[in-house]
Amino acid sequence: MQKRPNVLIILNDDMGYSDIGCFGGEIQTPNLDRLADGGLRLTQFYNTARCSPSRASLLTGLHPHQTGIGILVDDQRPEGYAGNLSANCVTVAEVLREEGYRTYMSGKWHVATSKTEPTDTWPKQRGFDKYYGIIAGSANYFYPVTLTRDNENIEHEALNDPEFYFTDAIADEAVGYIREHASKYPEQPFFLYTAFTSPHWPLHALPEDIARYKGRFSNGWDRLRKERLERMIEKGIIDPKWRLSERDPAAPAWEDEEHKEYRELCMEIYAAQIDRMDQGIGRIIRQLEESGQLDNTLIMFLSDNGGCAEELAPGPGTNLVRGKSARAETKKGEPVLFGNTPGIMPGGETTYQSYGLCWANMSNTPFRLYKHWVHEGGISTPFIAHWPERIKDQGALRHTPGQLTDIMATILEATGANYPSEFNGNTIPAFEGQSLLPVFDGDAEREKPLFWEHEGNSAVRIGKWKLVRKYPGAWELYDIEADRTELHNLADSDEQKARVLDMSLQYEAWASRCGVIPRESILKWMESKKKVNS
């Protein structure tokens, strides 16, 4: 009889810290709320500020620079990163398959340079018995490019299905894996990685989901941010002494917004995308229940980075089409209108838009900054852990800091799996994280420092202190216990100069050890590439 737990990781894409209901948001997420009520919410868990690096770190237990994916999946050599998941690391799937687990994945991969031709960095070649999803980083929800089953392109399935919606397909595939596993392999545990693209742009949602949010955001981002903060304080997620960050200087006051109807619809669609994902998560949970697997399944839910403030410029969408993130035409041959243009209402397949900076500022309530940056708004994720056979303090909060490198360590301890020093003839560095299982029992002091770097934006956290900089600016120092919203920079105070120096030296030692490439080298590569293409 199976004793070892199943492991299910649910990752979503470009969602802010406080969007879902159990973290204070307006979006209806009853299934995630159920997992939180029956499990734990970690309030200070961190991702790595961007899609590909977060996925590389989650899968390997290493910092993304150690895996070859310091930024995205561009090959930036010799100045920069390879953009491919390195052979000198192991994925959770590879580790668990060696231990007798069946391994499955549905959703977004985004850790391979090649998006159309199978390579040794595709899911089937990195430990997964079965795979369904997209290899690229984003996609039309109704007709995604790079849609793949195992190693075979199956875009035609979406083309020929008038009801196709990618969020549903990801969830349904996960449900099918669980059902088939229970039937064929009842004695084996499984590992399932379900990586939704929701709510990453484009703003594509189903009309019935959009309708549920009609008027919900009509009070605008200023009032809604304050209301969210109040709910977060009531839930115990946010300390009352942490002051709400100011509205982003690039965002107008809601009362001054000229295109309120358009802006409201953008947020309604974003909410509908998350709502639909939650519906799919509900089907996954029900299938686990029906197969008698729920109690012995460790489920972890999180987002790959903070809310995304990226504005999509009007135009032909050439780079998106070339990069396999979009199509120039719909299934019916209609032209796709790219860019955030008020008056062109998003939601359907003929548009390709994002919800923009103003709503991303709300998504990250109460923090500042966004995806790309390593201030709290860029790296803070809602984290839910659910495992009835192990978690007894159901519905509780944990405030111990953690980050993506801890996922591997947690799974190793939970399953008893062995982490290799060599794999397929390659030397494998030790994983960087520490197990979260002790935190399931109660808050504890963090033993290891936390480190981040993305596009020159850098940070280190040791205890309550966080040293952070927005490239190419100077270091800032914050007391996270007193000021997690990072409003009072203490770096220039005489009392903290020694701390700033010590923490910056620890950061530099980590960056050197983990292969962080100076931002200047990457910019040099980008400039040279631009000249070649001009």
Side-chain angles (χ1 to χ4, degrees):
M1 183 120 183
Q2 178 192 329
K3 296 290 186 183
R4 293 172 295 172
N6 305 309
V7 179
L8 167 58
I9 296 175
I10 304 174
L11 183 71
N12 83 332
D13 203 351
D14 280 16
M15 189 184 76
Y17 180 70
S18 57
D19 280 324
I20 60 178
C22 55
F23 272 77
E26 304 82 6
I27 302 172
Q28 299 171 33
T29 54
N31 296 294
L32 286 172
D33 297 351
R34 175 190 171 184
L35 293 179
D37 289 340
L40 300 169
R41 282 165 291 169
L42 277 60
T43 67
Q44 297 195 50
F45 197 85
Y46 295 107
N47 50 47
T48 313
R50 194 82 175 275
C51 307
S52 298
S54 284
R55 290 157 205 278
S57 188
L58 180 152
L59 282 166
T60 65
L62 301 175
H63 293 287
H65 319 82
Q66 297 170 288
T67 74
I69 302 180
I71 300 180
L72 287 174
V73 292
D74 298 312
D75 187 345
Q76 300 172 329
R77 294 172 294 181
E79 286 88 354
Y81 303 99
N84 252 341
L85 197 62
S86 170
N88 295 106
C89 62
V90 289
T91 68
V92 174
E94 287 171 325
V95 170
L96 292 184
R97 190 159 71 174
E98 290 289 307
E99 300 283 339
Y101 276 67
R102 295 284 298 174
T103 57
Y104 311 99
M105 179 181 173
S106 63
K108 169 176 164 177
W109 184 237
H110 204 205
V111 287
T113 299
S114 174
K115 300 170 187 174
T116 56
E117 295 298 323
T119 69
D120 58 7
T121 56
W122 278 33
K124 280 284 286 184
Q125 286 70 257
R126 295 312 302 258
F128 288 97
D129 294 316
K130 291 194 173 185
Y131 171 68
Y132 172 91
I134 59 168
I135 303 299
S138 58
N140 176 323
Y141 283 74
F142 302 103
Y143 185 19
V145 185
T146 77
L147 186 64
T148 302
R149 186 181 301 281
D150 295 333
N151 287 321
E152 179 184 354
N153 183 285
I154 55 166
E155 293 171 21
H156 61 277
E157 292 187 7
L159 175 63
N160 296 327
D161 181 0
E163 303 298 320
F164 184 90
Y165 185 68
F166 191 40
T167 303
D168 287 346
I170 291 171
D172 291 344
E173 200 71 22
V175 168
Y177 290 152
I178 296 167
R179 182 187 301 117
E180 180 184 52
H181 182 91
S183 172
K184 291 185 176 180
Y185 310 102
E187 301 303 315
Q188 283 183 268
F190 67 78
F191 168 59
L192 172 57
Y193 174 36
T194 300
F196 290 98
T197 56
S198 172
H200 193 294
W201 45 257
L203 292 172
H204 285 169
L206 301 176
E208 60 267 32
D209 295 326
I210 300 172
R212 273 198 289 279
Y213 294 92
K214 184 65 178 174
R216 182 63 184 87
F217 304 100
S218 60
N219 286 330
W221 39 72
D222 292 321
R223 179 171 167 182
L224 290 169
R225 287 182 77 225
K226 293 176 182 177
E227 291 177 357
R228 274 198 186 188
L229 179 64
E230 291 173 1
R231 290 193 297 269
M232 296 173 84
I233 291 171
E234 289 173 3
K235 292 176 182 293
I237 294 167
I238 292 297
D239 192 312
K241 65 175 176 283
W242 298 339
R243 195 158 55 85
L244 179 65
S245 61
E246 294 295 323
R247 181 196 333 112
D248 191 297
W254 178 251
E255 63 185 22
D256 298 328
E257 172 56 48
E258 297 179 8
H259 307 284
K260 286 187 173 67
E261 182 183 2
Y262 170 76
R263 299 297 180 194
E264 283 184 53
L265 180 58
C266 287
M267 187 61 197
E268 289 165 6
I269 295 167
Y270 174 89
Q273 289 177 301
I274 294 173
D275 187 309
R276 196 71 180 192
M277 175 194 69
D278 186 77
Q279 294 174 47
I281 292 171
R283 294 198 298 278
I284 294 170
I285 294 170
R286 286 193 293 276
Q287 186 58 50
L288 287 170
E289 283 183 305
E290 290 173 10
S291 60
Q293 303 270 29
L294 183 61
D295 287 353
N296 194 35
T297 299
L298 167 58
I299 302 174
M300 292 177 279
F301 169 86
L302 68 161
S303 180
D304 66 347
N305 45 249
C308 175
E310 295 166 355
E311 300 278 354
L312 300 187
T318 303
N319 289 335
L320 290 168
V321 173
R322 185 186 298 130
K324 304 297 181 184
S325 291
R327 296 184 186 277
E329 295 182 343
T330 69
K331 291 180 183 180
K332 297 179 180 180
E334 304 162 294
V336 174
L337 302 175
F338 290 90
N340 297 358
T341 304
I344 299 178
M345 295 306 199
E349 193 184 350
T350 58
T351 64
Y352 202 103
Q353 303 189 24
S354 66
Y355 79 152
L357 177 145
C358 302
W359 290 120
N361 195 189
M362 187 179 82
S363 286
N364 291 335
T365 301
F367 307 126
R368 59 188 179 94
L369 291 177
Y370 315 95
K371 170 185 177 179
H372 295 268
W373 291 279
V374 296
H375 285 70
E376 294 292 288
I379 58 176
S380 297
T381 176
F383 187 103
I384 301 170
H386 184 275
W387 186 8
E389 288 194 357
R390 176 66 173 75
I391 296 173
K392 303 307 178 187
D393 194 8
Q394 296 181 356
L397 300 174
R398 296 287 184 263
H399 305 294
T400 302
Q403 67 178 152
L404 289 174
T405 54
D406 298 339
I407 299 293
M408 173 71 85
T410 303
I411 292 172
L412 291 173
E413 183 174 359
T415 63
N418 295 302
Y419 182 87
S421 58
E422 291 187 7
F423 191 78
N424 289 341
N426 300 299
T427 300
I428 307 299
F431 60 87
E432 295 281 334
Q434 64 184 59
S435 174
L436 298 171
L437 290 194
V439 179
F440 290 2
D441 298 322
D443 277 314
E445 288 294 321
R446 172 83 189 188
E447 296 175 8
K448 293 187 174 183
L450 305 171
F451 294 97
W452 297 266
E453 190 278 341
H454 183 69
E455 296 180 313
N457 304 306
S458 311
V460 54
R461 179 169 171 181
I462 302 173
K464 69 175 185 176
W465 296 101
K466 181 180 175 186
L467 192 70
V468 60
R469 65 184 174 200
K470 181 181 179 183
Y471 181 85
W475 285 113
E476 304 163 21
L477 180 69
Y478 298 99
D479 177 348
I480 296 298
E481 283 187 5
D483 176 33
R484 193 179 169 197
T485 49
E486 298 172 315
L487 301 181
H488 305 286
N489 178 13
L490 305 174
D492 293 331
S493 67
D494 291 338
E495 294 86 353
Q496 301 299 339
K497 285 183 177 178
R499 187 182 306 278
V500 170
L501 177 60
D502 176 67
M503 292 180 72
S504 66
L505 290 174
Q506 290 195 52
Y507 170 84
E508 295 299 336
W510 167 81
S512 176
R513 179 177 66 79
C514 290
V516 175
I517 297 171
R519 181 62 177 164
E520 293 74 15
S521 296
I522 307 297
L523 294 175
K524 176 184 174 183
W525 174 85
M526 294 172 68
E527 187 62 32
S528 65
K529 184 178 179 182
K530 189 183 300 182
K531 289 178 180 178
V532 169
N533 293 333
S534 63

